[in-house]
Each structure stands twice: as C-alpha cells, then as structure tokens.
Amino acid sequence: MSVRWCPVIVSVLGLLVFESALFVDGGTTSSFVRKYEKTIDMPLDSDVFTEPPGYNAPQQVHITQGDHVGKAMIVSWVTMEEPGSDTVVYWSEDSSSQNTAEGIITTYTYYDYTSGFIHHCNLTDLEHDTKYYYEIGIEHASRTFWFTTPPPIGPDVPFTFGLIGDLGQSFDSNITLTHYEMNPTKGKTVLFVGDISYADNYPYHDNTRWDSWGRFAERSTAYQPWIWTAGNHELDFAPELGETEPFKPYTHRYQVPFEASESTSPFWYSIKIASAYIIVLSSYSAYGKYTPQHEWLEKELPKVDRSETPWLIVMTHTPLYNSYIYHYMEGESMRVIFEPWFVKYKVDVVFSGHVHAYERTERISNIGYDVVNSKCDPIKDDSAPIYITIGDGGNLEGLAINMTEPQPMYSAFREASYGHAILDIKNRTHAYHSWHRNQDGYAVTADSMWFYNRYWYNHDLHASS
Ligand SMILES: *[C@@H]1O[C@H](CO)[C@@H](O)[C@H](O)[C@H]1NC(C)=O
Ligand SMILES: *[C@@H]1O[C@H](CO)[C@@H](O)[C@H](O)[C@H]1NC(C)=O
Ligand SMILES: *[C@@H]1O[C@H](CO)[C@@H](O)[C@H](O)[C@H]1NC(C)=O
Ligand SMILES: *[C@@H]1O[C@H](CO)[C@@H](O)[C@H](O)[C@H]1NC(C)=O
Ligand SMILES: [Fe+2]
C-alpha cells in the first residue's frame, strides 16, 4: 500500500510547492523593451481621415449591438452639410426584399465647435447569424456597408472577440487597428475598454478630432459592432470652457443599448453575445453603496444564467489590479466595492484600459481584509477573475513604461508595448486569450493563455484538490 501511495503524495506536494513558488516570486516582466518615442497623432490630411466623396455623404459610420441578445443593431453616422436622410435601407444577404428603418438626428455644441448631424438608427427584428447589407445617405452620396449578426445565445456557441483600449488616432493607433484587422483569428466584435479619440488633449478639446477619429475607425466600426466603455478621455468636463456636462460629445456620438438591460444610464449596461455575458461598468460614475450603478450591478449579477451564457466578462476603464506606476491604485476604490461580487459570481475575466501597456494577473482576490485583521495581501483564489489591462491601443500620451518593482505576486505578465488582444471562446469550458504586440510593423504574439470557465470547468481547483 505505502509503496503505491508515496509517489502520489510526493507528486501532489511537488505540484503545490511548484505552484506556490511561482506565485510568491511574481510573474514575468517581458524583456521586450520598445524604443521609447513620443506618440504623435496622424495629421488631419492623412489618408485615414479622408472624407467620403459627394455632397453631405455619410461619414464616421459605426455600429453597436442594439438590444440585449443580438437581434438589433444601432447604426450611427454623421452628415456634415445638412441633416439629410435619417433612413437606413437594409436587407439580408439571402433576401431580395428591402427593409427601412427611421433613425433620430442629434447635434451638440462644445465651446466654439458645432457638430455635424449625428444619426442613430436601431435596426430591429434581425435574424441571428445573418449577413446584412445596409445603405445610408441618398443618391450619389449613398454608401453601403454590411455586418453579420451574432449567433443565437447558447452555452457552447463559439465566438471571437477583439480587445482594444485607449486607441486614439496616432500612427501607433493605425498600426494596432491594422494588426487587429489582419489577425488570422478574426474578431467579430470589439470589446472596447474606453478612451476613444483623445480630442480632449487638443486646445479647447478640439472636437474636429472626434470627427477625424470617427473617419479613421470606420473601416472597422462600420462592419462589426464595437461595444463601448466610457473612459476618462470621454469626460470632456471643462468648466473653464463653460462645458460642465460630463460625456457630452461621447453620449451624442456613441449610443449603447443600456435600457435593454434595465440600466438607467448609458455608462453601465450589459449584453449577451453567443456564450458570453458582458457587463460594462463606469469608472467615472458613482459606484458606492446606494448609487444607481451599485444598485444596478447588485440586481444584474444574479440574472446571469451560466447554463445559458457560461462566460461572464466585465469591462471597466480603470484597472482594479495594475502594477505600473502610471495610474497605480486608481481602481482601488472600485476594487474594494465590487471585488467581493466578482468572486461570489465567479467572473471569468475583467478587461480594462487606461494604463498604456499590457498586463495579466493571476487568479487572485483581496477581500479578506476587515480593517483590523491585517489580511491585506491578495491571495490565490480559484473563484476570482483574471484581470487584464489592455490600454495599449496607441493613444496620444505615450506608453506607460515605469513599473512598480519588484513585480508584485498578483501580476503574471506585463509589458509596455502597443497591441491588441483576441479572446477566442471555443465552448463552455475553454477560451483562448492572446495578446499581440506591435513590433516593428509586425504583430507578434507575446502573451497567451487558456481560460478555463469558472462555472463549468474550474480546472485550477481540480488540479490542486
Ligand atoms: C494606416 O494604415 C493603413 C492600413 O495599414 C494604411 O493604408 C495607411 O496608409 C496608414 N495611414 C497612416 C497615416 O499611417
Ligand atoms: C432597439 O430595438 C430593440 C428591439 O425593439 C429594443 O429592445 C432596444 O431597446 C432598442 N435599442 C435602442 C438603443 O433603442
Ligand atoms: C519614469 O522613469 C523615468 C526614467 O527612470 C523617469 O525619468 C520618470 O520620471 C519616471 N516617470 C514616472 C511617472 O515615474
Ligand atoms: C472545448 O474546447 C476545447 C479546446 O478546443 C477542447 O479541448 C474540448 O474538448 C472542448 N470541449 C468539448 C466538450 O467539446
Ligand atoms: Fe484613460
């Protein structure tokens, strides 16, 4: 008997020692160090900002999911000269009959800037998993685009998400977007973790940089939904300019289906796509106890049915765990308030931006502290999410190169490069995450890991119990 038992015990102990040794030492700080250069925006006469030809032609076209389950799509665009038509004509690939939908038109002013005519139109009653063409604008200036609706919700429905944050409109932004488009694993929807145009870095928040960003990103945003998270560069709060309504340009330009998830604000909402349940939170709205966001999330989390959508994904702009010096601990107050729920409801992954670099944590939590018990350190926790910072789209302010040293034990991998990530959900148990740095014109896979679903396949727990 003992002869047979011994090797088992030794190997189990060996595994534990090996795992905890890895953990205590902290993770990897990539040895790839990018040559540090100041990030610069593409000039306004760049090819990516070209206006479409024709009088009053629709520009800055972008789409996002319009309802909770993926049978509606909000199409948005801007006309510069006059309101023009607010009609979208659309038809499915295998149908000869055309449908029309009427949208709304809005405008806003910001200091000395007056926006073009911003159109939003909700296309409803779409079929799942179907390619649709849509036409906007009239006569010579009409333009046609297409998108594919997501498959029906279901526990083993595969789906591929792109992950981009803090994109901006620099030369680096253009490289990141190009690499995302050229990735052989094709993302079908972008989970965007906030900080869009960086127009607010210009004098008087020059809102023409909102317009140029819309034209730059159109080559992706017109063809696949981007799921928006509000970042600090969307705030545009500038009392010195008389602009005291936070998020004014953002909310006029980008719509989200917040009402479909019984949210009272566009800054926090949820959607389902395929086998994923996505919860978008706002780092720049109140989230303390009794606030609308807190009350919403408290009601929202129990609604997630993991037998329908196994993958529970949270998006915030500010990371809750971040070992860069840049924005260090800015997410701490939200972490204290929401982390116990993330653990209780077994969130698979939290994606954030804000820090202009990449970082992936271990599965850890830090919820034991009660002011007097000294339990201040994060501990390994199989029910906890992995936190991924992907604020490395390109921005305008440069990379976050300074890191806290030594690398804390909760940080599994970190690197200050630009890039994008892909989350490739295979089925209810497995998803493959990969991060692709921009390296001298090429996208190089610099970090990757298998995600094992927290609800269906708590694999790490299996391994150590
Ligand atoms: C942006 O990227 C696209 C696609 O790679 C390229 O055609 C275009 O010239 C680039 N523009 C600038 C200004 O870098
Ligand atoms: C779009 O239409 C769908 C279906 O009628 C509805 O559930 C959703 O709330 C609408 N979205 C918006 C943003 O109006
Ligand atoms: C980052 O490190 C550089 C070089 O050590 C230093 O000059 C700079 O002040 C640091 N920045 C921050 C924000 O700590
Ligand atoms: C889920 O996907 C993983 C990775 O592709 C695969 O190894 C596994 O067998 C799949 N599970 C089922 C039940 O098909
Ligand atoms: Fe930010």
Side-chain angles (χ1 to χ4, degrees):
M1 272 300 259
S2 60
V3 178
R4 292 185 54 185
W5 274 67
C6 262
V8 177
I9 292 166
V10 168
S11 72
V12 167
L13 283 178
L15 184 70
L16 289 177
V17 169
F18 180 63
E19 281 199 351
S20 61
L22 261 185
F23 194 54
V24 168
D25 288 353
T28 307
T29 298
S30 173
S31 59
F32 181 82
V33 179
R34 196 189 143 89
K35 183 158 63 86
Y36 188 73
E37 291 163 352
K38 177 134 179 51
T39 310
I40 43 172
D41 268 0
M42 296 179 281
L44 282 177
D45 60 1
S46 300
D47 51 3
V48 293
F49 299 139
T50 308
E51 303 210 15
Y55 174 75
N56 208 37
Q59 55 169 273
Q60 306 173 44
V61 182
H62 52 95
I63 62 173
T64 197
Q65 186 161 312
D67 67 356
H68 207 228
V69 297
K71 296 188 74 171
M73 196 72 83
I74 302 169
V75 175
S76 305
W77 71 97
V78 180
T79 50
M80 286 306 204
E81 285 83 10
E82 54 172 287
S85 167
D86 59 0
T87 301
V88 177
V89 179
Y90 63 103
W91 60 96
S92 79
E93 186 176 36
D94 34 44
S95 156
S96 54
S97 70
Q98 295 191 331
N99 308 291
T100 58
E102 298 294 319
I104 55 151
I105 301 178
T106 183
T107 60
Y108 71 91
T109 58
Y110 191 94
Y111 188 58
D112 60 354
Y113 168 93
T114 302
S115 75
F117 301 90
I118 303 169
H119 302 246
H120 300 290
C121 182
N122 190 14
L123 311 186
T124 60
D125 295 318
L126 304 176
E127 297 295 323
H128 278 297
D129 219 353
T130 302
K131 183 172 181 180
Y132 285 89
Y133 292 88
Y134 65 99
E135 185 182 359
I136 50 180
I138 49 170
E139 292 166 6
H140 300 302
S142 82
R143 301 178 71 199
T144 301
F145 305 87
W146 59 86
F147 58 80
T148 302
T149 49
I153 309 300
D156 290 298
V157 182
F159 199 79
T160 310
F161 291 103
L163 283 145
I164 301 178
D166 304 64
L167 186 56
Q169 46 195 305
S170 67
F171 289 96
D172 295 298
S173 320
N174 195 33
I175 294 168
T176 300
L177 186 59
T178 303
H179 287 171
Y180 170 60
E181 294 167 310
M182 288 169 57
N183 195 314
T185 306
K186 291 292 169 218
K188 295 173 182 158
T189 291
V190 169
L191 303 181
F192 189 81
V193 291
D195 282 359
I196 299 174
S197 75
Y198 290 76
D200 61 343
N201 277 13
Y202 283 82
Y204 313 112
H205 296 224
D206 182 359
N207 273 225
T208 58
R209 279 287 175 177
W210 274 105
D211 291 313
S212 59
W213 193 89
R215 293 195 295 272
F216 156 56
E218 183 189 88
R219 68 187 206 235
S220 177
T221 58
Y223 297 95
Q224 59 173 257
W226 283 41
I227 307 306
W228 304 107
T229 312
N232 55 305
H233 286 280
E234 277 71 76
L235 273 163
D236 283 306
F237 174 69
E240 69 280 15
L241 305 179
E243 293 298 344
T244 52
E245 181 192 334
F247 299 112
K248 191 194 211 179
Y250 172 63
T251 50
H252 281 82
R253 290 167 182 274
Y254 294 91
Q255 290 218 327
V256 299
F258 65 97
E259 283 146 327
S261 56
E262 286 154 46
S263 164
T264 50
S265 159
F267 310 121
W268 56 88
Y269 62 100
S270 70
I271 54 169
K272 303 183 207 177
I273 302 179
S275 49
Y277 200 104
I278 293 152
I279 293 181
V280 176
L281 297 177
S282 173
S283 305
Y284 305 100
S285 308
Y287 44 77
K289 196 161 184 184
Y290 310 121
T291 63
Q293 183 168 205
H294 191 277
E295 303 242 304
W296 177 82
L297 186 60
E298 187 169 24
K299 289 199 194 85
E300 179 69 9
L301 284 164
K303 290 182 191 167
V304 182
D305 176 358
R306 302 296 274 273
S307 61
E308 183 192 53
T309 50
W311 295 94
L312 179 50
I313 298 170
V314 171
M315 295 162 68
T316 69
H317 183 61
T318 308
L320 308 195
Y321 284 95
N322 159 40
S323 76
Y324 289 84
I325 287 172
Y326 203 59
H327 300 311
Y328 187 63
M329 285 185 76
E330 275 182 27
E332 188 64 4
S333 50
M334 183 184 267
R335 185 191 68 72
V336 168
I337 293 169
F338 288 157
E339 189 183 23
W341 290 348
F342 292 173
V343 175
K344 177 178 177 191
Y345 291 98
K346 296 184 161 54
V347 170
D348 288 292
V349 54
V350 178
F351 289 111
S352 305
H354 201 38
V355 178
H356 299 152
Y358 173 79
E359 183 161 29
R360 170 173 59 81
T361 69
E362 304 282 355
R363 280 201 190 280
I364 35 93
S365 68
N366 194 0
I367 55 181
Y369 182 55
D370 72 353
V371 181
V372 291
N373 66 4
S374 308
K375 292 185 179 169
C376 305
D377 293 326
I379 56 163
K380 206 168 170 90
D381 186 339
D382 278 318
S383 295
I386 283 178
Y387 296 83
I388 291 181
T389 300
I390 180 86
D392 53 353
N395 73 82
L396 175 58
E397 298 157 340
L399 284 165
I401 46 173
N402 297 12
M403 306 171 182
T404 61
E405 299 292 355
Q407 184 168 13
M409 52 82 130
Y410 61 77
S411 171
F413 182 91
R414 57 184 188 175
E415 181 183 314
S417 297
Y418 294 118
H420 74 278
I422 297 278
L423 182 69
D424 195 11
I425 296 176
K426 307 287 189 188
N427 52 37
R428 76 181 67 191
T429 54
H430 286 66
Y432 192 68
H433 164 83
S434 55
W435 175 65
H436 309 267
R437 83 159 72 99
N438 303 346
Q439 184 175 330
D440 303 327
Y442 294 91
V444 174
T445 309
D447 183 44
S448 60
M449 71 166 281
W450 279 101
F451 273 100
Y452 304 123
N453 187 274
R454 288 303 93 189
Y455 183 86
W456 286 101
Y457 192 56
N458 202 325
H459 184 79
D460 316 334
L461 196 64
H462 279 247
S464 55
S465 63

